[in-house]
Amino acid sequence: MTLEKIAMTQRAMAEEQQARIGNQKWTQYLAAFIATIGGFIAGTALGWTAPAGPMMENNQYSFVISNESLAWIGACMPLGAMLGCPVTAGLVDKLGRKNMMIMLCIPTLVGWAMMIWAESVAWICAGRLLTGFASGSLSVIVPLYTSEIAEKEIRGTLGTYFQLQVTGGILFTYIVGSYFDVFGLTIICAIIPIVYVALMVLIPESPNFHLMKGNVEKARLSLRYFRGPYGTVDQELSIMQDSLAKTERERVPLMEAFQTTPAKRGLFIGLGVMLLQQFSGCNAVIFYATYIFKEAGSAMEPNTSTIIVGIMSVIATYVSTLIVDRLGRKILLLSSIVVMAICTLLIGAFFYMKANEYDVSSIGFIPLTSMCVFIVLFSLGFGPIPWMLIGEIFPAQIKGTACSVACMANWFFAFIVTKFFSSLVSAIHIYNTFWLFTLFSILGTFFVICIVPETKGKTMDEIQEMLGAGSDLTPPTHANASIDTKGKY
């Protein structure tokens, strides 16, 4: 056999092995899909008030619920989520990712039960706090888990699954709420955590967590599940061990760890994208979806219009899962924020003209078109990518705590928008409110261009180097340069 034929045979064998390795990615997709059902649970908690609000106003409960009470019922969910984030940060590295995701179904079920058998507004608020607590905790753990099980080539895709499931959960409540009363809706939402527990039993714990606990054999079995029989498990396991060993060698007190350059930059980026996600106007557009449909001359039922909004959001988020590892994070974030700014500017201009009694009959399509484009672009970029990004940008030592801080900030911003949006509209008019969102989006454009790094195709260590890892190290002096090969002076 000639050398040329040998080389061709070796190339064919290598390509066949690579194809086999590629075919094993289905276990990563499956595990990510099951784990991110936690996002679906959070979506049902978020979306519940949209169909349940009018039902509560129609006295489907045995007690009276005022408009102020409805505002608090809506706001209690993000408030509970804020409380869940720091609790999760302290437990996720002790109890494990999988165990925590399963355990969080307990407060979820208790919360839904309190809402089903509520005897007062306080019961509903308490139930919303509990479901919010679980949702906030899941928003920390699920992106962390998916980032740890994924190969770098598909980490972006798996990272967007969380937001895809959230939008799916919201759409689910819209559809179910159009067919059932408040009790039927709540009972159906309560079934999902039970299904979640049953499915979570089928997938393994993150290999990173096993290595953190010193159990190399369990880490190998976990990684073998995710990479398949043809994956280079031992090589990858060795890299993961080296990375963890390096983290341990460089371990410092937590507050000191937050003072490193990559930690500070990562936290700044994480908090920035979470603020922009909430203050770009996504909730305002959703809140006013029915009103915008009416202003555009649509005769659709309110339930139908909200379902259409939900379907558009799910489809666009799904498209994001397909393209985020091809186009990259930065271009999707930038396209998203620029178009969102234009959309809120146009919606504000329409309402300004209407408030000042201009004839807007010929441009009734503008708010409807702007709203649809806004939802699509938000769902492609600033909806899913911030949740994926926080699983990538933080140093290993502070990842659990930093993710919880970013998530807590997100839920705090969501609480502010949910609780005070109507008051803001009353104070400065709807058009100024939308223009305020435009201003945030303009600032966000510069933030994405100048601050947010492109993490597509990068390993965790490469991302840390991009954020300045190593820049905090003191260059070796003459004294410490005299260390011999055994590491002694």
Side-chain angles (χ1 to χ4, degrees):
M1 185 178 288
T2 65
L3 290 176
E4 185 178 351
K5 287 184 177 180
I6 292 172
M8 289 176 64
T9 302
Q10 289 176 337
R11 275 200 303 272
M13 291 174 64
E15 288 173 2
E16 182 182 357
Q17 184 178 16
Q18 190 62 40
R20 287 175 174 175
I21 293 171
N23 291 337
Q24 298 304 308
K25 287 184 171 65
W26 71 267
T27 51
Q28 297 171 59
Y29 287 110
L30 176 64
F33 176 79
I34 291 174
T36 55
I37 293 173
F40 193 94
I41 292 170
T44 58
L46 274 168
W48 182 83
T49 48
M55 299 179 195
M56 288 186 281
E57 288 179 327
N58 292 333
N59 300 317
Q60 290 194 12
Y61 280 99
S62 60
F63 46 88
V64 177
I65 300 176
S66 65
N67 287 333
E68 180 63 21
S69 296
L70 279 175
W72 275 110
I73 288 170
C76 276
M77 187 270 168
L79 194 61
M82 284 173 55
L83 301 174
C85 294
V87 174
T88 303
L91 296 175
V92 69
D93 287 338
K94 296 177 181 177
L95 301 179
R97 285 75 163 129
K98 177 180 173 178
N99 289 337
M100 283 288 290
M101 285 187 273
I102 292 173
M103 290 166 60
L104 284 166
C105 291
I106 297 173
T108 307
L109 287 169
V110 173
W112 287 121
M114 293 185 74
M115 292 153 66
I116 293 167
W117 290 292
E119 296 182 357
S120 67
V121 171
W123 278 54
I124 300 176
C125 287
R128 293 279 292 163
L129 281 169
L130 284 172
T131 55
F133 177 91
S135 299
S137 299
L138 288 166
S139 70
V140 175
I141 302 168
V142 174
L144 180 63
Y145 178 83
T146 53
S147 71
E148 288 180 346
I149 68 170
E151 294 174 81
K152 64 181 182 180
E153 292 82 8
I154 60 170
R155 194 175 62 237
T157 296
L158 300 193
T160 56
Y161 276 18
F162 181 78
Q163 181 67 15
L164 177 62
Q165 294 271 25
V166 171
T167 56
I170 293 171
L171 175 60
F172 179 80
T173 59
Y174 291 168
I175 295 172
V176 173
S178 65
Y179 292 101
F180 292 86
D181 63 8
V182 68
F183 302 105
L185 168 65
T186 311
I187 289 169
I188 292 171
C189 289
I191 294 172
I192 298 166
I194 300 171
V195 176
Y196 188 45
V197 172
L199 291 173
M200 281 298 299
V201 174
L202 303 176
I203 63 174
E205 177 59 87
S206 155
N208 293 61
F209 176 72
H210 287 312
L211 285 179
M212 289 169 66
K213 294 300 180 183
N215 198 324
V216 178
E217 190 52 39
K218 282 189 175 179
R220 181 178 285 107
L221 290 172
S222 173
L223 199 59
R224 177 68 66 192
Y225 172 87
F226 293 119
R227 302 298 183 260
Y230 301 102
T232 54
V233 169
D234 289 332
Q235 180 182 345
E236 188 173 351
L237 202 63
S238 177
I239 294 171
M240 291 166 65
Q241 285 177 296
D242 290 344
S243 181
L244 284 172
K246 180 183 176 183
T247 300
E248 283 300 315
R249 286 196 305 270
E250 298 173 356
R251 185 172 292 279
V252 294
L254 189 62
M255 292 309 297
E256 190 175 333
F258 271 97
Q259 297 303 310
T260 64
T261 299
K264 288 188 285 189
R265 288 181 180 174
L267 199 59
F268 183 64
I269 293 165
L271 293 176
V273 293
M274 289 305 188
L275 182 144
L276 291 168
Q277 185 192 70
Q278 293 298 327
F279 283 91
S280 60
C282 60
N283 284 313
V285 171
I286 292 169
F287 290 162
Y288 270 80
T290 303
Y291 182 60
I292 291 171
F293 267 96
K294 288 180 180 177
E295 290 300 313
S298 173
M300 272 188 284
E301 289 290 321
N303 282 341
T304 306
S305 61
T306 52
I307 289 171
I308 288 173
V309 168
I311 291 172
M312 289 169 54
S313 181
V314 170
I315 292 173
T317 307
Y318 175 69
V319 172
S320 179
T321 69
L322 302 178
I323 63 176
V324 67
D325 279 320
R326 297 178 185 178
L327 299 182
R329 288 70 159 143
K330 193 159 183 168
I331 187 66
L332 287 176
L333 285 174
L334 188 60
S335 303
S336 176
I337 200 78
V338 168
V339 176
M340 285 156 58
I342 295 170
C343 291
T344 50
L345 178 68
L346 291 174
I347 293 171
F350 176 85
F351 283 121
Y352 175 82
M353 293 173 68
K354 188 175 178 63
N356 286 277
E357 299 182 351
Y358 288 93
D359 181 13
V360 294
S361 58
S362 61
I363 56 171
F365 67 92
I366 287 180
L368 179 57
T369 305
S370 299
M371 182 194 71
C372 294
V373 173
F374 180 99
I375 290 167
V376 169
L377 267 294
F378 174 81
S379 301
L380 281 173
F382 259 94
I385 292 177
W387 295 109
M388 177 210 66
L389 207 58
I390 63 171
E392 296 183 322
I393 59 176
F394 296 123
Q397 184 178 338
I398 66 163
K399 181 171 281 190
T401 303
C403 282
S404 75
V405 170
C407 291
M408 186 165 61
N410 181 282
W411 290 111
F412 173 72
F413 300 142
F415 168 75
I416 295 295
V417 173
T418 305
K419 182 68 180 72
F420 299 107
F421 175 72
S422 297
S423 302
L424 188 64
V425 171
S426 300
I428 65 171
H429 305 295
I430 186 172
Y431 50 86
N432 282 325
T433 305
F434 274 100
W435 285 341
L436 182 62
F437 295 137
T438 303
L439 177 61
F440 274 103
S441 294
I442 292 170
L443 295 174
T445 301
F446 292 103
F447 182 84
V448 172
I449 293 172
C450 302
I451 306 296
V452 177
E454 178 55 75
T455 59
K456 181 187 76 168
K458 302 286 194 302
T459 65
M460 296 299 187
D461 286 340
E462 288 170 343
I463 293 170
Q464 291 308 301
E465 289 176 10
M466 288 171 61
L467 294 174
S471 63
D472 300 300
L473 299 177
T474 306
T477 62
H478 179 72
N480 61 28
S482 61
I483 301 175
D484 67 19
T485 57
K486 295 182 181 179
K488 297 178 181 178
Y489 288 96

